[in-house]
Amino acid sequence: MTRIYCFGVTQERAPFVQKWSKKNNVEVTMTSESLTINNVKKVKGYDGVSIAEIAKFNSDIYPKLKEYGIKQLSQRTAGFDYFDLEKAKENGIIITNVPSYSPESIAEFTIMSALQLVRKQKLLADHVAKHDFRWVPEVRGRVLGNMTVAVIGVGRIGLQAAKLFKNFGCTVVGYDPYPKDNVSDVINYKENVQSAIKDADIVTLHMPATDENYHLFNKDMFNKMKKDSYLINAGRGSLINIEDLINALDENKLAAAALDVYEKEATYVPGTYPNKEIKDNDFNKLLHHSKITYTPHCAYYTDESVKNMIYSGLDSTLEVIKTGSSKNRVN
C-alpha cells in the first residue's frame, strides 16, 4: 500500500485527511509538527510527503529526502515562495502547490474588507464602545458602487474579486503582467501598476510574492495614490513596506488600509499570545493603528478552502508517486 507522511495537520483538518485516505486506499500518517531537519528521518519508508509551510523552508532537508527515496513535497497552500525551487530540483524533489482552493473565499473577504473600510466600521465600533451614538461626519461612509477599484494581480482570485466589485457597480481597472483575454466586460487593464492606481478609490492586492514585486507598495507608490484612497492586501505581506504604509497613513496620504497578511507574520500566525509581549515593533504598530484593520491571514479560511487544500495537496502527492510529475508542480 502507498504510504504518505502528512506534516502540519491540525486536529481540525485531520478528518479531511482521514476521508481522503479511505477514499484513495492510501495509508496516511499525520502529525501536527512541521517538517524539519530534526524530524525528517520519520519519512524513511514512505512514498510521499505533504506539508503546509508558512515560513522559509530549510533547504538542507532536500538531500535528506533524496536519501530516503522521497521525490516530491506537496505544499497544501498556494504559496511556494518559502522554497528554494532550484535546490529542490537539484535533489530530484518536485514541489507542488494548491494553486486554487477557493478563489471565492478570498474574493468575498476582500469585498467585506472594502465595505468595512468605506463604511468606517472600525471607527464606528470605537464610537459605540464609548457610548457615542452621534451621526457625525467622521463616521459618515461612502457608496462602494460609486468607486473605482484597482485590482493588482488578476489571477483566479483577483478576477473573482473584480467580478464582485463590478456587481456592486464599481468601475474596475487592473494590472497583471499576463492579462486575461475576454474579460473586458469586467476589468479594464492598464499598462502598469502606476496607471492602475492613480485614480483608484480602492486598491486591492492579489499578487504572489516575487523578487520583482518585493515592497512594490512603498513610499513612492503611496505618493502616486489618491489621498482619500483605501488599500487592501489579501495577497502577500512582502508586497508592502509596512513602515512606509504607516507613515503614509499618519501623513493622511491614504484614508485607511485592511491587511490580512503581514511580511513577518510567521512568528505569530497562527498562534495565541494573550499574555505575551509582541516584540515586533512594526507588527505592534499595525495592530494598534487607528487606520489599519488587521486579520491574521484568514481571508482563505472557509470550510470549502480547508477541504480543497487537503484533498488537492494529497492528490498531487499521489500523482507524482504514480506518474513522476504533477499538473501542480512549481519547479
Side-chain angles (χ1 to χ4, degrees), residues 83-99:
F83 304 95
D84 187 322
L85 300 181
E86 283 303 314
K87 285 189 178 179
K89 194 172 182 179
E90 288 171 8
N91 286 277
I93 306 297
I94 294 172
I95 306 289
T96 60
N97 75 333
V98 182

Side-chain angles (χ1 to χ4, degrees), residues 159-179:
L159 181 58
Q160 186 65 29
K163 290 178 179 178
L164 294 179
F165 278 115
K166 190 72 173 182
N167 287 341
F168 269 86
C170 300
T171 298
V172 184
V173 300
Y175 170 76
D176 193 283
Y178 308 101

Side-chain angles (χ1 to χ4, degrees), residues 34-64:
S34 295
L35 176 60
T36 69
I37 195 68
N38 296 320
N39 64 17
V40 65
K41 59 181 180 244
K42 290 183 177 182
V43 308
K44 188 175 183 180
Y46 284 79
D47 302 295
V49 177
S50 180
I51 55 180
E53 291 300 311
I54 58 172
K56 188 171 179 59
F57 188 76
N58 185 351
S59 296
D60 292 339
I61 295 173
Y62 297 134
K64 289 291 184 182

Side-chain angles (χ1 to χ4, degrees), residues 33 68 72 125 174 184 190 213 235 263 265 306 313-314 327:
E33 297 177 349
Y68 298 140
Q72 56 69 233
S184 58
K190 300 295 182 179
N213 63 32
E263 184 177 357
E265 66 186 24
V306 171
L314 289 171
K327 64 180 181 296

Side-chain angles (χ1 to χ4, degrees), residues 12-223:
E12 169 201 20
R13 302 183 186 212
F16 294 103
V17 176
Q18 291 166 346
K19 288 179 182 178
W20 184 93
S21 173
K22 184 176 181 180
K23 177 183 176 182
N24 291 276
N25 193 31
V26 172
E27 178 186 333
V28 182
T29 300
M30 293 180 283
T31 179
S32 60
E33 297 177 349
S34 295
L35 176 60
T36 69
I37 195 68
N38 296 320
N39 64 17
V40 65
K41 59 181 180 244
K42 290 183 177 182
V43 308
K44 188 175 183 180
Y46 284 79
D47 302 295
V49 177
S50 180
I51 55 180
E53 291 300 311
I54 58 172
K56 188 171 179 59
F57 188 76
N58 185 351
S59 296
D60 292 339
I61 295 173
Y62 297 134
K64 289 291 184 182
L65 293 173
K66 181 179 180 180
E67 179 184 337
Y68 298 140
I70 300 297
K71 298 179 180 177
Q72 56 69 233
L73 281 177
S74 73
Q75 167 78 333
R76 298 191 304 276
T77 71
F80 55 88
D81 46 299
Y82 314 116
F83 304 95
D84 187 322
L85 300 181
E86 283 303 314
K87 285 189 178 179
K89 194 172 182 179
E90 288 171 8
N91 286 277
I93 306 297
I94 294 172
I95 306 289
T96 60
N97 75 333
V98 182
S100 178
Y101 35 88
S102 178
E104 298 81 3
S105 297
I106 300 172
E108 288 174 5
F109 195 94
T110 299
I111 294 293
M112 180 193 74
S113 299
L115 287 168
Q116 287 179 328
L117 289 175
V118 303
R119 295 308 302 266
K120 302 186 178 179
Q121 189 273 337
K122 185 172 184 177
L123 187 57
L124 278 167
D126 183 56
H127 277 227
V128 170
K130 296 175 181 176
H131 294 177
D132 182 351
F133 309 127
R134 295 172 299 155
W135 300 334
V136 290
E138 66 175 324
V139 297
R140 189 173 63 220
R142 297 170 64 186
V143 176
L144 180 61
N146 292 340
M147 294 183 167
T148 296
V149 178
V151 179
I152 309 303
V154 192
R156 294 180 180 90
I157 296 166
L159 181 58
Q160 186 65 29
K163 290 178 179 178
L164 294 179
F165 278 115
K166 190 72 173 182
N167 287 341
F168 269 86
C170 300
T171 298
V172 184
V173 300
Y175 170 76
D176 193 283
Y178 308 101
K180 298 180 182 299
D181 296 326
N182 303 318
V183 294
S184 58
D185 58 326
V186 176
I187 190 166
N188 179 19
Y189 279 106
K190 300 295 182 179
E191 62 182 11
N192 53 48
V193 175
Q194 291 83 352
S195 298
I197 68 170
K198 69 182 182 69
D199 296 318
D201 301 292
I202 296 172
V203 175
T204 180
L205 310 183
H206 301 285
M207 305 177 83
T210 65
D211 291 340
E212 290 74 23
N213 63 32
Y214 178 75
H215 286 184
L216 177 65
F217 279 76
N218 54 20
K219 180 179 179 179
D220 182 59
M221 194 69 77
F222 296 136
N223 285 336

